[in-house]
Amino acid sequence: MLDEPNNWGRWGAEDERGALNLLTPEAVLAAARCVKEGRVLSLSLPIRGATSSSAPTTVPHLRGRPLPQHFMSVDGGDYAAGARALGVGLCVADDALVVTPHGTTTHMDALCHMWTGDAIYNGHPANRVRSYGAGRCGIDKAGPVVGRGVLFDVPASKDVPHLNADDRITPDDLEACLERTGIELRAGDIAVIRTGWPQVWHTEGPDAYWSGQPGLSADAGRWLAARDVSMVASDNAAIGGLNARQLADEDLTDDLHMILLWRHGIHLAEMLWLEGLAETGRGDFLFAAAPLAIEGGTASPINPIAVL
């Protein structure tokens, strides 16, 4: 499968950051020139604990995935019941949050998340991915991501509120988005793909959301990789499309995670909320996201930021 173009060895045999190496100081400075208004938008879905709120019905997520668990180890009720304060009149609330990011929250995939054969990205041994985490290419190796975000608002270019579940975004669709905004894609850019699919959760309900999902086609993934994007972020749950069983229909050769994560070392961010950004009409912006430094983690929740 590595007869296709790939980035293995491009940044050295020990590289664990992949295409994020394209975010040089020069690229970050160029991205900062996108800031025209100083307005800041969050591109994240809320993290709502399934045990303490209505998250199962209010936040888009893949069916069957463990939802975030949010617990308070000490709260106001404890003090009302007679718990001793830390000091005279001093009370504190302390919480614990357990998040399984894949399929449940806005998150960033690490390069160790998916592979085939006996090696993860860049030829690092897959047996270094252990029960306690990945010894290579964990999310802690990514570091903060700051660069120019380029919005591919595919529904807007087609004049529809959102794509259909069986729609697969083609290279022509991506080029049409750039023509619509007049933006030229540059090496190191973060490609931000809007399908509009999260709206379906709120307008038609979970069953409609779970009926499948639109996403990038394999050829569109190759098109982005050939243009040296540093990251691909989308509002859907898997970058590529999903069927009604919430699985990809592509084989290994055409699987988007294999094309982008495994072959090209392009980190993925999934389940963004892009409706507010779409309303601005902006085609490019300063993008920033910082994954938690989870040693050996396969992913991390993120709160992506667009600075307009």
Side-chain angles (χ1 to χ4, degrees), residues 48-50 52-59:
R48 292 185 180 140
S52 56
S53 76
S54 52
T57 58
T58 61
V59 181

Side-chain angles (χ1 to χ4, degrees), residues 5 7 11 35 123 143 154 174 179 196 202 218 222 227 239 258 276:
N7 281 330
W11 294 286
V35 178
V154 185
L174 297 179
E179 290 173 10
H202 300 293
R222 293 187 178 96
R227 282 152 182 80
I239 303 297
M258 294 293 100

Side-chain angles (χ1 to χ4, degrees), residues 271-293:
M271 302 187 72
L272 279 68
W273 178 256
L274 299 176
E275 300 310 300
L277 178 61
E279 289 171 4
T280 69
R282 287 287 298 270
D284 64 352
F285 51 93
L286 181 66
F287 178 99
L292 301 176

Side-chain angles (χ1 to χ4, degrees), residues 226-242:
R227 282 152 182 80
D228 256 351
V229 298
S230 61
M231 183 176 183
V232 177
S234 181
D235 61 358
N236 68 357
I239 303 297
L242 297 176

Side-chain angles (χ1 to χ4, degrees), residues 58-240:
T58 61
V59 181
H61 60 271
L62 289 182
R63 183 167 46 198
R65 299 292 179 95
L67 288 167
Q69 306 294 306
H70 188 189
F71 305 98
M72 304 295 282
S73 60
V74 59
D75 58 31
D78 294 315
Y79 296 111
R84 180 179 299 177
L86 294 180
V88 179
L90 178 61
C91 300
V92 61
D94 197 355
D95 56 1
L97 181 66
V98 180
V99 180
T100 305
H102 299 292
T104 64
T105 59
T106 304
H107 67 280
M108 177 175 167
D109 285 347
L111 298 183
C112 65
H113 174 43
M114 293 181 72
W115 70 89
T116 186
D118 58 4
I120 59 176
Y121 164 73
N122 207 32
H124 293 295
N127 62 14
R128 294 299 302 273
V129 183
R130 305 288 182 84
S131 59
Y132 51 80
R136 293 287 185 272
C137 297
I139 197 63
D140 54 307
K141 304 299 174 54
V145 179
V146 179
R148 186 176 77 140
V150 174
L151 178 63
F152 292 85
D153 192 344
V154 185
S157 72
K158 295 177 178 291
D159 199 25
V160 295
H162 60 78
L163 301 182
N164 295 319
D166 58 356
D167 284 340
R168 299 297 178 261
I169 298 166
T170 67
D172 287 345
D173 292 330
L174 297 179
E175 289 180 346
C177 291
L178 294 178
E179 290 173 10
R180 177 175 173 271
T181 59
I183 299 295
E184 180 181 352
L185 193 64
R186 301 192 300 244
D189 285 342
I190 294 102
V192 180
I193 314 296
R194 177 177 174 261
T195 69
W197 195 246
Q199 292 186 80
V200 171
W201 181 280
H202 300 293
T203 60
E204 301 178 41
D207 286 339
Y209 181 85
W210 292 327
S211 66
Q213 289 200 18
L216 290 178
S217 66
D219 284 344
R222 293 187 178 96
W223 186 92
L224 289 170
R227 282 152 182 80
D228 256 351
V229 298
S230 61
M231 183 176 183
V232 177
S234 181
D235 61 358
N236 68 357
I239 303 297

